[in-house]
Structures are given as C-alpha cells and as structure tokens.
Amino acid sequence: FGNVHLSFGTPLHLTEFMTKFDVSADSLPSDRTDTPLDEKASAMVDNIGVKIMQHINKAAVVTPVSLLSLVLLSAPKA
C-alpha cells in the first residue's frame, strides 16, 4: 500500500550539551517535576529541542502527497 522511508540521523549526546551550556548533572531533577530549571539548564533544553527538530527536518522525505498538500495549502484560495 505504499512505500516506507526510514532515516537515521546522528545521535545527540546529552553530555555534549551539558558541557556546552555549563550545566552540571546535579542541577537537573532526577524525576519529572514542575520545579522550574535555572537559566543555563533552560537554555540547554531549548537548544536540544531546536536541534531535535532540525534533525527531524533533515531526515524528512518529500513524497508526492506531501508536496501536493503543500501546494494546495499555499494557494491563495485554499
């Protein structure tokens, strides 16, 4: 019933982000909590989210259906 496209990107390592943003492992909560993160940890999480979305977009495959959908949605009289 169609084609399956599977893409693997390069892995993102949390330790690299922690080093880049100078965040220690002790400053991150060990479980899910509503406690706000400090400024450095919050910036690190935001950056990780951006990187993940960039990697997803790099791995995306343009299919005829998605291309047609884009054209129809960008038409002035959608």
Side-chain angles (χ1 to χ4, degrees):
F1 298 116
N3 297 321
V4 175
H5 300 277
L6 185 62
S7 299
F8 292 97
T10 56
L12 299 174
H13 298 283
L14 183 59
T15 54
E16 292 175 6
F17 285 96
M18 292 176 74
T19 304
K20 179 180 177 183
F21 286 91
D22 193 29
V23 176
S24 66
D26 298 336
S27 67
L28 299 175
S30 60
D31 59 351
R32 295 181 71 176
T33 179
D34 291 338
T35 308
L37 298 173
D38 64 347
E39 188 174 319
K40 290 180 183 179
S42 181
M44 180 188 74
V45 171
D46 290 343
N47 191 270
I48 290 172
V50 168
K51 291 293 181 187
I52 289 172
M53 293 308 298
Q54 287 174 345
H55 284 228
I56 289 172
N57 286 335
K58 284 181 187 177
V61 176
V62 179
T63 61
V65 173
S66 62
L67 191 58
L68 179 63
S69 301
L70 177 68
V71 170
L72 290 175
L73 289 173
S74 64
K77 293 183 180 182

